[in-house]
Amino acid sequence: MILSNTITITPITPDLIPQLKEFCDTCRELGYENNKNLEKLNLLWCKYYGGEFFCGVSKGRIISVAGCHPLPEISKN
């Protein structure tokens, strides 16, 4: 039997910070440098430059994080 999981993609908001900390703890335990703590994610930097971070949530847990932001040093577009 194949069970399907629902993944919801949503912007990271202050109410998701506790779940995001758990995600970072898991990343650190797995040896991932990029997402090992909130400081490494640079959430505020991203928002300051007009970007946004999103997370994938499944069964009440953050399972993925991705961000996007402008790169003015490359192009204004």
Side-chain angles (χ1 to χ4, degrees), residues 29-56:
E29 290 169 11
L30 293 170
Y32 303 158
E33 285 294 314
N34 245 18
N35 300 323
K36 71 180 185 179
N37 59 45
L38 295 179
E39 292 77 28
K40 286 283 191 178
L41 285 174
N42 290 316
L43 295 173
L44 295 178
W45 174 90
C46 185
K47 286 189 178 277
Y48 178 81
Y49 286 101
E52 186 64 83
F53 265 93
F54 298 88
C55 62

Side-chain angles (χ1 to χ4, degrees), residues 6-7 9-10 15 18-19 21 23-26 28 33-34 40 43 45-46 57 59-60 63-66 72 74-75:
T6 301
I7 299 172
I9 306 300
T10 185
D15 61 308
Q19 290 169 276
K21 287 181 181 177
F23 174 82
C24 289
D25 289 345
T26 301
R28 186 177 56 253
E33 285 294 314
N34 245 18
K40 286 283 191 178
L43 295 173
W45 174 90
C46 185
V57 181
K59 298 180 182 178
I63 60 167
S64 65
V65 172
I74 305 295
S75 166

